[in-house]
């Protein structure tokens, strides 16, 4: 019943598993598989210098995976910011002119559309103190969260 404990896994098995997991991270979001792959590569490297039982190999892999994941979640990820658009939204949107496609009459929010995508989106929600009819042109003056503040042109 416990014959699998006598199975021999070569170092290259772990290296292949590690490379597969690290490569799979490209297709999965969350940056979790990377740490499991890194731990598998570590076990493969250890097998190059020492002969370890399958049980010890699995324990090392699980321990290294969990340790790496916890270190990532605790120390690195909280400090890691997306710098591709951090602080750029205001500069990219202020002064842009769009057309109202959903009126804000009776509500405080409407929807506008730009002629070309800005920051990856053509359509944005907007706030305005005056009622805007569909088809009116508006200019962005400020940003509130993910909502634009506009004035009529």
């Amino acid at each position: 019943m416990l014959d699998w404990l006598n199975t021999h896994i070569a170092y290259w098995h772990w290296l292949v598993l590690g490379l597969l997991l690290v490569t799979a991270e490209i297709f999965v979001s969350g940056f979790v598989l990377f740490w499991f792959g890194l731990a598998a590569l570590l076990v493969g490297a250890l097998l190059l210098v020492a002969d370890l039982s399958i049980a010890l190999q699995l324990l090392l892999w699980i321990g290294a995976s969990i340790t790496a994941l916890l270190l990532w979640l605790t120390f690195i990820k909280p400090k890691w910011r997306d710098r591709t658009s951090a602080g750029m939204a205001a500069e990219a949107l202020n002064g842009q002119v769009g057309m109202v496609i959903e009126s804000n009459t009776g509500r405080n929010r409407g929807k506008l559309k730009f002629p070309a995508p800005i920051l990856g989106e053509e359509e944005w929600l907007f706030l305005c103190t005056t009622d805007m009819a569909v088809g009116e042109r508006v200019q962005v003056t400020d940003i509130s969260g993910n909502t634009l503040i506009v004035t009529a042109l």
Side-chain angles (χ1 to χ4, degrees), residues 72-87:
W72 158 253
L73 291 172
T74 305
F75 298 109
I76 302 170
K77 187 177 180 184
K79 295 178 185 173
W80 196 353
R81 276 193 258 161
D82 179 13
R83 296 184 182 169
T84 57
S85 61

Side-chain angles (χ1 to χ4, degrees), residues 74-130:
T74 305
F75 298 109
I76 302 170
K77 187 177 180 184
K79 295 178 185 173
W80 196 353
R81 276 193 258 161
D82 179 13
R83 296 184 182 169
T84 57
S85 61
M88 293 174 40
E91 291 114 20
L93 289 165
N94 279 343
Q96 294 292 330
V97 176
M99 185 174 66
V100 176
I101 59 171
E102 198 175 292
S103 177
N104 67 334
T105 305
R107 310 175 296 189
N108 63 344
R109 291 179 192 250
K111 189 181 277 188
L112 67 87
K113 184 174 185 175
F114 293 113
I118 299 174
L119 296 175
E121 294 292 328
E122 286 183 344
E123 297 180 0
W124 291 77
L125 292 176
F126 72 86
L127 291 171
C128 189
T129 55
T130 60

